[in-house]
Amino acid sequence: GRFIYRSLDTIRVVGKSLPVKTFELLEKRGCSNDKTLRKLVRIWEMARRAYLAMDWDKAIALFSACLEYEPHHPDRDPGSKTCPSLVYIQRCKNYKITPPVAEGEVWDGVFTATSK
């Protein structure tokens, strides 16, 4: 409870068979961005639920809402080329065209990386 963090993804990396859960440490509680980051995490969790339910349009809308609060959005952090919300928006757009599983199959929500 001393830190603000978010669950980023469950990913299967190249060369490994078991997926790994990844998290992002955002800030120590009580710091300057505490309220903004907690709002980001709330919206983020809703977006992730929509993503895992394969509700791509809802997920895109919610990840888009997260952009306002992303601490490392490229527009605010010149050292960043992207941020988690932008990655998920693009992934959802891709999954709308090519779903992660065939219709009628159950998706485990794991993203399988194809390159390092």
Side-chain angles (χ1 to χ4, degrees), residues 31 41 63:
C31 291
V41 171
F63 286 124

Side-chain angles (χ1 to χ4, degrees), residues 8-23 91 95 108-116:
L8 282 181
D9 208 350
T10 303
I11 185 168
R12 186 175 294 109
V13 296
V14 175
K16 302 289 181 181
S17 58
L18 294 176
V20 177
K21 289 186 179 190
T22 59
F23 298 85
R91 194 184 294 175
Y95 281 163
D108 62 5
V110 174
F111 176 76
T112 301
T114 57
S115 64
K116 289 186 179 189

Side-chain angles (χ1 to χ4, degrees), residues 70-83:
E70 282 285 355
H72 299 291
H73 190 288
D75 290 348
R76 291 184 291 281
D77 182 359
S80 294
K81 293 180 182 176
T82 192
C83 65

Side-chain angles (χ1 to χ4, degrees), residues 49-107:
R49 282 192 295 277
Y51 169 82
L52 293 171
M54 298 191 299
D55 187 345
W56 310 125
D57 290 327
K58 182 176 182 181
I60 290 168
L62 288 163
F63 286 124
S64 295
C66 288
L67 291 173
E68 179 180 343
Y69 307 102
E70 282 285 355
H72 299 291
H73 190 288
D75 290 348
R76 291 184 291 281
D77 182 359
S80 294
K81 293 180 182 176
T82 192
C83 65
S85 294
L86 289 172
V87 169
Y88 269 96
I89 290 166
Q90 187 58 53
R91 194 184 294 175
C92 289
K93 288 177 179 179
N94 292 341
Y95 281 163
K96 281 179 69 167
I97 298 166
T98 308
V101 293
E103 191 173 330
E105 290 183 15
V106 176
W107 182 43

Side-chain angles (χ1 to χ4, degrees), residues 10 29 35 38-39 50 109 112:
T10 303
R29 282 203 187 273
K35 196 176 279 190
R38 282 187 283 136
K39 187 166 188 167
T112 301

